[in-house]
Amino acid sequence: CKELLPQGHFIQGELQETGLPDGHFDYIRIDNALEHVPNPKKVIMECRRLLCAGGKLMIYVPHGRSLSMRLMKGNSISAWIPFHLQLFTKKSLYRLMKDAGFTDIKICGYNPTSWLPLSFMQWMNRKKPVSKYEHPAWLNVVCYPVGWIGAKLGLGKELVATGTSCVK
């Protein structure tokens, strides 16, 4: 990081151990990390503490009720067993943010273009370990409309949630 952004300030470690003051940030983004922590509520509460009043939190997580999870179960890329400690639904993610004191919560789903083809390849190779996540280009063409329809039906592979930190 220092090579790419020499003037940047970087902290490595647990969020709760940074020593940053209350209201330090206007915006926090958690991108495909919340599903890896044992206590997501603790992380969300810390984000709320670190946000100024009116600050925004944006969360990206795999959707536990996505089309691929419903059809492929543990072979979906979203499952990623044993690295994902939990998966979220719109309802559980909303409740998590609401319980942490966020307001103006919005949640939508979408499909990263490579995820459905990767899930398909993992599902097809479920009897043997997949060491490379390469797939034929035609699979993108086939999966794109399926992913688009899935997202429109609320079954996208990823959930994106935003919320506003209320006045403390």
Side-chain angles (χ1 to χ4, degrees), residues 6-68:
Q7 70 277 21
H9 177 75
F10 303 95
I11 300 170
Q12 181 178 344
E14 297 293 323
L15 184 61
Q16 296 86 349
E17 298 168 4
T18 62
L20 293 169
D22 292 0
H24 189 72
F25 296 109
D26 295 319
Y27 184 86
I28 295 175
R29 177 176 167 163
I30 302 173
D31 196 331
N32 286 284
L34 199 58
E35 64 276 11
H36 297 277
V37 299
N39 190 342
K41 184 174 183 178
K42 189 175 171 183
V43 172
I44 300 301
M45 293 292 291
E46 182 66 3
C47 287
R48 184 174 167 267
R49 183 190 74 76
L50 290 170
L51 283 167
C52 64
K56 301 287 183 186
L57 175 64
M58 179 178 272
I59 302 171
Y60 289 74
V61 291
H63 186 189
R65 297 293 292 153
S66 69
L67 182 61
S68 71

Side-chain angles (χ1 to χ4, degrees), residues 91-107:
K91 185 177 179 180
S92 68
L93 190 55
Y94 181 88
R95 175 59 42 210
L96 182 68
M97 293 180 74
K98 185 81 171 164
D99 289 350
F102 284 90
T103 60
D104 194 28
I105 301 166
K106 294 178 179 68
I107 300 176

